[in-house]
């Protein structure tokens, strides 16, 4: 079977590596164009491009997919199956309908929940206990195709989106290999569209902590925003990014710094209960343990985090 892979970030690269390790005949990899990064705006290759090149797989990076722009690649490679993982664009019908076995997608949620761009972050932010990955046959909608296989995994109480991302990337690669190996015998199952939820892109503004919320909700936000863009609050007019926190008992004004406790961190009151902030990045400093920061800087007890 001739397989064309389409993907862009590191989550997709994990699927590509799993396919290569399984010995599939990957005839090409399509990824988004290189983008400028850093102060020098140097063009940087996508993670899928780097992985494909290391595996000796030809890479194609069309600027757009509309107007049959990928058709010359399809005609050259003649794939029997197209695998798509976090490519970043909705595929037009001429691509979906081209291969014999259609296009299959790996999505980092248990569909129909969390369709969209940020399923991992939103599952953590919303306090889900279980998530997983789904392989599906692609159609023209946004993550609306019939499901092929699913695999579940629990979300740890304080597991960050970044930690979950790494686990789901590996799980997605494993499920993808299993799906391809059984592609002719799997009966696709339509999604229950009336039960769907949406996971839109994350923005920096979403990380601003509302201290009137419960400690549990705030911890979920902190975990879901780690490692980007990070949850944050204002301390004396300057932003402080919070990367790690634990639930604590206590009461105070929402956002009030109650104490600095050895081995636990900075105790802050929430609308319900409190949290211990153990790791943060204060303005002008690096991300570090709060107690280490406090050794060289004063943290005012009673101050309100905005």
């Amino acid at each position: 079977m001739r397989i064309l892979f389409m993907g862009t970030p590191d989550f997709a690269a994990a699927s590509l590596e799993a396919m290569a390790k399984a010995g599939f005949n990957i005839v090409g990899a399509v990824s988004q164009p290189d983008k400028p990064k850093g102060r020098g705006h140097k063009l940087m290759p996508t993670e899928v491009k780097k992985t494909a090149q290391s595996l000796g797989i030809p890479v194609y990076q069309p600027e757009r997919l509309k107007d049959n722009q990928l058709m010359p690649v399809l005609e050259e490679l003649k794939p029997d199956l197209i695998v798509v993982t976090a490519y970043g664009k909705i595929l037009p019908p001429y691509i979906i309908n081209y291969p014999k076995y259609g296009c299959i997608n790996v999505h980092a949620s248990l569909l129909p929940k969390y369709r969209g761009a940020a399923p991992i972050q939103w599952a953590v932010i919303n306090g889900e206990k279980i998530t997983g990955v789904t392989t599906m046959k692609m159609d023209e909608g946004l993550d609306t195709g019939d499901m092929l296989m699913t695999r579940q995994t629990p979300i740890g109480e304080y597991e960050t989106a970044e930690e979950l991302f790494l686990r789901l990337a590996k799980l997605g690669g494993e499920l993808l290999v299993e799906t391809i190996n059984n592609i002719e015998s799997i009966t696709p199952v339509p999604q229950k569209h009336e039960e769907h939820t949406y996971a839109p892109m994350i923005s920096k503004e979403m990380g601003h902590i509302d201290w009137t919320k419960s400690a549990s909700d705030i911890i979920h936000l902190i975990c879901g925003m780690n490692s980007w863009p990070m949850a944050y609050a204002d301390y004396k007019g300057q932003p402080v990014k919070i990367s790690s926190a634990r639930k604590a008992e206590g009461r105070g004004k929402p956002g009030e710094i109650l104490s600095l406790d050895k081995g636990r961190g900075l105790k802050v009151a929430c609308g319900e209960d409190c949290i211990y902030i153990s790791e943060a990045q204060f303005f002008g400093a690096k991300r570090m343990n709060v107690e280490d920061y406090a050794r060289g800087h004063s943290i005012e007890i009673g101050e309100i985090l905005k």
Side-chain angles (χ1 to χ4, degrees):
M1 181 188 300
R2 297 173 61 82
I3 302 175
L4 175 64
F5 184 82
M6 299 182 70
T8 300
D10 41 3
F11 186 89
S15 290
L16 181 58
E17 288 177 337
M19 291 170 57
K21 187 175 180 180
F24 293 129
N25 180 23
I26 307 168
V27 295
V30 178
S31 192
Q32 295 233 22
D34 298 346
K35 293 184 178 180
K37 291 184 179 180
R39 293 182 179 179
H41 298 287
K42 181 180 178 181
L43 285 177
M44 299 296 292
T46 68
E47 292 299 319
V48 162
K49 180 179 181 178
K50 289 191 287 187
T51 299
Q53 289 177 332
S54 71
L55 295 169
I57 298 170
V59 178
Y60 304 85
Q61 295 177 281
E63 289 289 339
R64 48 188 297 191
L65 300 178
K66 295 180 179 179
D67 303 322
N68 288 342
Q69 288 205 10
L70 194 66
M71 185 59 77
V73 175
L74 299 178
E75 293 293 346
E76 174 191 349
L77 301 179
K78 293 182 169 49
D80 301 303
L81 173 69
I82 296 177
V83 172
V84 184
T85 305
Y87 177 68
K89 292 182 179 180
I90 294 178
L91 305 191
Y94 79 91
I95 297 176
I96 294 173
N97 299 325
Y98 185 90
K100 174 183 177 181
Y101 295 104
C103 296
I104 63 174
N105 176 253
V106 182
H107 187 72
S109 79
L110 298 174
L111 291 170
K113 294 187 74 173
Y114 298 110
R115 295 172 179 170
I120 298 173
Q121 294 97 321
W122 281 108
V124 176
I125 291 169
N126 290 340
E128 298 285 357
K129 304 297 183 184
I130 296 174
T131 187
V133 288
T134 305
T135 52
M136 65 176 175
K137 292 203 71 173
M138 296 185 70
D139 58 19
E140 294 179 44
L142 178 62
D143 303 322
T144 55
D146 292 351
M147 298 180 296
L148 299 172
M149 302 184 80
T150 62
R151 189 170 293 177
Q152 295 186 0
T153 186
I155 301 176
E157 182 180 7
Y158 296 112
E159 186 170 20
T160 67
E162 181 178 37
E163 292 167 339
L164 183 59
F165 180 98
L166 295 173
R167 291 203 298 112
L168 291 183
K170 184 175 184 295
L171 198 63
E174 294 170 354
L175 187 65
L176 175 59
V177 169
E178 187 177 352
T179 301
I180 296 172
N181 281 330
N182 295 279
I183 192 68
E184 295 192 35
S185 60
I186 298 173
T187 301
V189 178
Q191 295 185 40
K192 295 180 180 179
H193 299 293
E194 68 278 7
E195 297 179 4
H196 89 278
T197 59
Y198 184 57
M201 291 183 68
I202 297 294
S203 68
K204 290 182 179 180
E205 291 73 24
M206 292 176 184
H208 203 166
I209 296 172
D210 178 357
W211 294 102
T212 64
K213 292 190 174 182
S214 70
S216 294
D217 287 344
I218 290 172
I219 287 172
H220 292 149
L221 179 69
I222 291 169
C223 290
M225 290 286 169
N226 189 341
S227 63
W228 190 93
M230 304 299 291
Y232 66 95
D234 292 329
Y235 174 69
K236 293 187 174 180
Q238 299 292 353
V240 53
K241 297 179 180 179
I242 301 169
S243 48
S244 182
R246 296 291 186 270
K247 192 173 180 179
E249 295 181 351
R251 296 180 65 183
K253 298 177 182 178
E256 182 182 2
I257 299 175
L258 300 177
S259 61
L260 179 62
D261 298 350
K262 186 175 181 180
R264 294 184 175 181
L266 203 62
K267 190 174 186 179
V268 180
C270 307
E272 179 184 321
D273 297 314
C274 300
I275 64 170
Y276 275 118
I277 300 172
S278 56
E279 188 179 78
Q281 182 178 0
F282 286 82
F283 183 76
K286 295 181 179 180
R287 174 173 164 176
M288 66 177 70
N289 184 285
V290 170
E291 290 178 70
D292 292 339
Y293 177 83
R295 290 188 182 98
H297 304 79
S298 63
I299 298 180
E300 187 174 329
I301 305 303
E303 182 74 17
I304 303 292
L305 295 177
K306 306 297 184 183

